[in-house]
Short mmCIF file of all heavy atoms in Angstrom, two decimals:
data_model
loop_
_atom_site.label_atom_id
_atom_site.label_comp_id
_atom_site.label_asym_id
_atom_site.label_seq_id
_atom_site.Cartn_x
_atom_site.Cartn_y
_atom_site.Cartn_z
N CYS A 1418 0.80 -1.24 0.08
CA CYS A 1418 0.00 -0.05 -0.01
C CYS A 1418 0.85 1.25 -0.02
O CYS A 1418 0.51 2.27 -0.60
CB CYS A 1418 -0.93 0.06 1.21
SG CYS A 1418 -2.30 -1.17 1.09
N GLN A 1419 1.95 1.20 0.73
CA GLN A 1419 2.88 2.30 0.74
C GLN A 1419 3.45 2.66 -0.67
O GLN A 1419 3.58 3.76 -1.07
CB GLN A 1419 4.10 2.12 1.71
CG GLN A 1419 3.63 2.26 3.16
CD GLN A 1419 4.75 1.93 4.16
OE1 GLN A 1419 5.72 1.24 3.84
NE2 GLN A 1419 4.66 2.48 5.37
N LYS A 1420 3.78 1.59 -1.40
CA LYS A 1420 4.32 1.75 -2.79
C LYS A 1420 3.12 2.40 -3.64
O LYS A 1420 3.50 3.15 -4.60
CB LYS A 1420 4.72 0.41 -3.39
CG LYS A 1420 5.91 -0.19 -2.75
CD LYS A 1420 6.27 -1.48 -3.40
CE LYS A 1420 7.57 -2.10 -2.76
NZ LYS A 1420 7.94 -3.41 -3.35
N LEU A 1421 1.86 2.06 -3.35
CA LEU A 1421 0.84 2.60 -4.25
C LEU A 1421 0.34 3.92 -3.69
O LEU A 1421 -0.58 4.53 -4.35
CB LEU A 1421 -0.37 1.55 -4.23
CG LEU A 1421 -0.06 0.21 -4.89
CD1 LEU A 1421 -1.20 -0.80 -4.64
CD2 LEU A 1421 0.19 0.39 -6.37
N GLY A 1422 0.93 4.38 -2.57
CA GLY A 1422 0.46 5.65 -2.07
C GLY A 1422 -0.82 5.68 -1.34
O GLY A 1422 -1.48 6.67 -1.40
N LYS A 1423 -1.25 4.61 -0.79
CA LYS A 1423 -2.55 4.56 -0.04
C LYS A 1423 -2.34 3.81 1.31
O LYS A 1423 -1.37 3.17 1.45
CB LYS A 1423 -3.57 3.82 -0.88
CG LYS A 1423 -3.29 2.39 -1.20
CD LYS A 1423 -4.34 1.70 -2.00
CE LYS A 1423 -4.08 0.17 -2.21
NZ LYS A 1423 -5.21 -0.44 -2.98
N LYS A 1424 -3.39 3.99 2.16
CA LYS A 1424 -3.31 3.35 3.44
C LYS A 1424 -3.77 1.96 3.37
O LYS A 1424 -4.77 1.65 2.67
CB LYS A 1424 -4.10 4.23 4.46
CG LYS A 1424 -3.46 5.52 4.82
CD LYS A 1424 -4.25 6.22 5.91
CE LYS A 1424 -3.69 7.51 6.34
NZ LYS A 1424 -4.40 8.13 7.46
N PRO A 1425 -3.31 1.01 4.18
CA PRO A 1425 -3.87 -0.28 4.35
C PRO A 1425 -5.20 -0.26 4.96
O PRO A 1425 -5.58 0.67 5.74
CB PRO A 1425 -2.86 -1.09 5.20
CG PRO A 1425 -1.70 -0.23 5.27
CD PRO A 1425 -2.04 1.13 5.06
N GLU A 1426 -6.06 -1.27 4.56
CA GLU A 1426 -7.43 -1.31 5.14
C GLU A 1426 -7.35 -1.67 6.68
O GLU A 1426 -6.36 -2.20 7.14
CB GLU A 1426 -8.26 -2.38 4.40
CG GLU A 1426 -8.64 -1.84 3.00
CD GLU A 1426 -9.63 -2.80 2.34
OE1 GLU A 1426 -10.82 -2.64 2.65
OE2 GLU A 1426 -9.26 -3.74 1.61
N THR A 1427 -8.43 -1.39 7.32
CA THR A 1427 -8.57 -1.71 8.74
C THR A 1427 -9.75 -2.60 8.95
O THR A 1427 -10.61 -2.75 8.06
CB THR A 1427 -8.73 -0.43 9.57
OG1 THR A 1427 -10.00 0.19 9.27
CG2 THR A 1427 -7.54 0.54 9.33
N PHE A 1428 -9.85 -3.22 10.08
CA PHE A 1428 -11.02 -3.94 10.45
C PHE A 1428 -11.39 -3.86 11.91
O PHE A 1428 -10.51 -3.51 12.72
CB PHE A 1428 -10.91 -5.47 10.05
CG PHE A 1428 -9.94 -6.24 10.89
CD1 PHE A 1428 -10.33 -6.94 12.02
CD2 PHE A 1428 -8.57 -6.20 10.61
CE1 PHE A 1428 -9.44 -7.70 12.82
CE2 PHE A 1428 -7.66 -6.91 11.28
CZ PHE A 1428 -8.06 -7.67 12.49
N THR A 1429 -12.69 -4.07 12.26
CA THR A 1429 -13.02 -3.86 13.67
C THR A 1429 -13.43 -5.24 14.21
O THR A 1429 -14.15 -6.08 13.67
CB THR A 1429 -14.25 -2.93 13.76
OG1 THR A 1429 -13.81 -1.67 13.28
CG2 THR A 1429 -14.71 -2.77 15.21
N PHE A 1430 -12.94 -5.52 15.45
CA PHE A 1430 -13.27 -6.73 16.21
C PHE A 1430 -13.28 -6.42 17.67
O PHE A 1430 -12.42 -5.88 18.26
CB PHE A 1430 -12.14 -7.80 15.91
CG PHE A 1430 -12.34 -9.10 16.54
CD1 PHE A 1430 -13.44 -9.94 16.26
CD2 PHE A 1430 -11.47 -9.63 17.43
CE1 PHE A 1430 -13.66 -11.17 16.84
CE2 PHE A 1430 -11.57 -10.87 18.02
CZ PHE A 1430 -12.71 -11.63 17.69
N LEU A 1431 -14.37 -6.80 18.36
CA LEU A 1431 -14.62 -6.57 19.75
C LEU A 1431 -14.52 -5.19 20.17
O LEU A 1431 -14.01 -4.85 21.25
CB LEU A 1431 -13.75 -7.58 20.51
CG LEU A 1431 -13.87 -9.08 20.22
CD1 LEU A 1431 -12.90 -9.79 21.14
CD2 LEU A 1431 -15.35 -9.43 20.55
N GLY A 1432 -15.04 -4.19 19.31
CA GLY A 1432 -15.00 -2.84 19.72
C GLY A 1432 -13.78 -2.07 19.49
O GLY A 1432 -13.68 -0.93 19.73
N PHE A 1433 -12.70 -2.78 18.82
CA PHE A 1433 -11.47 -2.15 18.48
C PHE A 1433 -11.26 -2.16 17.01
O PHE A 1433 -11.49 -3.18 16.40
CB PHE A 1433 -10.28 -2.88 19.24
CG PHE A 1433 -10.30 -2.77 20.66
CD1 PHE A 1433 -10.95 -3.68 21.44
CD2 PHE A 1433 -9.73 -1.67 21.30
CE1 PHE A 1433 -10.89 -3.66 22.85
CE2 PHE A 1433 -9.65 -1.62 22.67
CZ PHE A 1433 -10.25 -2.60 23.49
N THR A 1434 -10.79 -1.03 16.53
CA THR A 1434 -10.43 -0.98 15.06
C THR A 1434 -8.87 -1.31 15.01
O THR A 1434 -8.01 -0.68 15.62
CB THR A 1434 -10.61 0.38 14.51
OG1 THR A 1434 -11.96 0.75 14.49
CG2 THR A 1434 -10.15 0.47 13.08
N HIS A 1435 -8.51 -2.36 14.26
CA HIS A 1435 -7.20 -2.80 14.17
C HIS A 1435 -6.55 -2.28 12.85
O HIS A 1435 -7.19 -2.35 11.78
CB HIS A 1435 -7.14 -4.31 14.11
CG HIS A 1435 -7.73 -4.98 15.34
ND1 HIS A 1435 -6.96 -5.59 16.37
CD2 HIS A 1435 -9.02 -5.11 15.72
CE1 HIS A 1435 -7.78 -6.00 17.23
NE2 HIS A 1435 -9.05 -5.73 16.94
N TYR A 1436 -5.32 -1.74 12.96
CA TYR A 1436 -4.71 -1.12 11.79
C TYR A 1436 -3.21 -1.41 11.76
O TYR A 1436 -2.54 -1.66 12.78
CB TYR A 1436 -4.94 0.35 11.77
CG TYR A 1436 -4.41 1.17 13.04
CD1 TYR A 1436 -3.19 1.79 12.91
CD2 TYR A 1436 -5.16 1.24 14.16
CE1 TYR A 1436 -2.62 2.50 14.00
CE2 TYR A 1436 -4.68 1.90 15.28
CZ TYR A 1436 -3.49 2.58 15.20
OH TYR A 1436 -3.00 3.22 16.29
N CYS A 1437 -2.71 -1.37 10.64
CA CYS A 1437 -1.18 -1.60 10.40
C CYS A 1437 -0.45 -0.36 10.79
O CYS A 1437 -0.77 0.73 10.35
CB CYS A 1437 -0.91 -2.05 8.92
SG CYS A 1437 -1.68 -3.56 8.40
N SER A 1438 0.66 -0.61 11.49
CA SER A 1438 1.48 0.49 11.98
C SER A 1438 2.95 -0.06 12.11
O SER A 1438 3.28 -1.12 11.55
CB SER A 1438 0.96 1.10 13.25
OG SER A 1438 1.68 2.26 13.65
N GLN A 1439 3.75 0.72 12.85
CA GLN A 1439 5.13 0.27 13.14
C GLN A 1439 5.52 0.76 14.53
O GLN A 1439 4.95 1.71 15.12
CB GLN A 1439 6.03 0.80 12.05
CG GLN A 1439 6.12 2.29 11.93
CD GLN A 1439 7.02 2.72 10.84
OE1 GLN A 1439 7.05 2.07 9.81
NE2 GLN A 1439 7.67 3.86 11.00
N SER A 1440 6.58 0.07 15.02
CA SER A 1440 7.21 0.49 16.31
C SER A 1440 8.10 1.67 16.15
O SER A 1440 8.36 2.12 15.02
CB SER A 1440 7.87 -0.72 16.96
OG SER A 1440 9.00 -1.05 16.15
N ARG A 1441 8.64 2.11 17.23
CA ARG A 1441 9.60 3.25 17.20
C ARG A 1441 10.80 2.93 16.35
O ARG A 1441 11.40 3.86 15.72
CB ARG A 1441 9.95 3.73 18.58
CG ARG A 1441 8.83 4.32 19.34
CD ARG A 1441 9.23 4.64 20.79
NE ARG A 1441 8.13 5.19 21.54
CZ ARG A 1441 8.18 5.47 22.88
NH1 ARG A 1441 9.39 5.27 23.52
NH2 ARG A 1441 7.13 5.98 23.49
N ASN A 1442 11.20 1.67 16.36
CA ASN A 1442 12.38 1.31 15.53
C ASN A 1442 12.08 0.80 14.19
O ASN A 1442 12.93 0.25 13.53
CB ASN A 1442 13.21 0.25 16.33
CG ASN A 1442 12.45 -1.04 16.59
OD1 ASN A 1442 11.37 -1.21 16.07
ND2 ASN A 1442 12.93 -1.94 17.38
N GLY A 1443 10.83 1.03 13.74
CA GLY A 1443 10.46 0.73 12.42
C GLY A 1443 9.97 -0.65 12.10
O GLY A 1443 9.59 -0.99 10.93
N ARG A 1444 9.80 -1.49 13.12
CA ARG A 1444 9.32 -2.81 12.97
C ARG A 1444 7.80 -2.79 12.78
O ARG A 1444 7.11 -1.98 13.31
CB ARG A 1444 9.62 -3.72 14.11
CG ARG A 1444 11.10 -4.07 14.23
CD ARG A 1444 11.43 -4.88 15.49
NE ARG A 1444 10.47 -5.96 15.74
CZ ARG A 1444 10.20 -6.55 16.82
NH1 ARG A 1444 10.83 -6.12 17.97
NH2 ARG A 1444 9.40 -7.59 16.94
N PHE A 1445 7.34 -3.75 11.98
CA PHE A 1445 5.87 -3.82 11.72
C PHE A 1445 5.12 -4.14 13.03
O PHE A 1445 5.53 -4.94 13.83
CB PHE A 1445 5.51 -4.92 10.75
CG PHE A 1445 4.05 -5.27 10.59
CD1 PHE A 1445 3.27 -4.39 9.85
CD2 PHE A 1445 3.45 -6.35 11.13
CE1 PHE A 1445 1.86 -4.70 9.72
CE2 PHE A 1445 2.14 -6.67 10.98
CZ PHE A 1445 1.28 -5.81 10.33
N ARG A 1446 4.00 -3.41 13.28
CA ARG A 1446 3.19 -3.54 14.48
C ARG A 1446 1.77 -3.48 13.94
O ARG A 1446 1.38 -2.73 13.11
CB ARG A 1446 3.45 -2.52 15.42
CG ARG A 1446 4.74 -2.72 16.31
CD ARG A 1446 4.44 -3.57 17.49
NE ARG A 1446 3.25 -3.26 18.24
CZ ARG A 1446 3.13 -2.20 19.07
NH1 ARG A 1446 4.12 -1.39 19.29
NH2 ARG A 1446 1.89 -2.04 19.62
N VAL A 1447 0.82 -4.23 14.68
CA VAL A 1447 -0.54 -4.08 14.58
C VAL A 1447 -1.06 -3.26 15.84
O VAL A 1447 -0.73 -3.72 16.87
CB VAL A 1447 -1.35 -5.40 14.42
CG1 VAL A 1447 -2.83 -5.12 14.45
CG2 VAL A 1447 -0.92 -6.13 13.15
#
C-alpha cells in the first residue's frame, strides 16, 4: 500500500479498530 501511495485497510473486532503500523524502531506492528 505504501508503494501505491494509499493506506492499508482496517477492520473492527470486539469494539477495537485494528490497523497496520510500526514500532519506534520501524518494525511492523498491529
Side-chain angles (χ1 to χ4, degrees):
C1418 286
Q1419 285 177 336
K1420 288 181 181 178
L1421 297 172
K1423 63 178 185 179
K1424 289 184 177 181
E1426 290 190 81
T1427 65
F1428 68 95
T1429 299
F1430 182 61
L1431 299 180
F1433 293 93
T1434 297
H1435 301 255
Y1436 60 97
C1437 296
S1438 186
Q1439 62 184 32
S1440 64
R1441 291 177 182 175
N1442 59 12
R1444 287 175 52 199
F1445 172 74
R1446 283 274 316 281
V1447 174

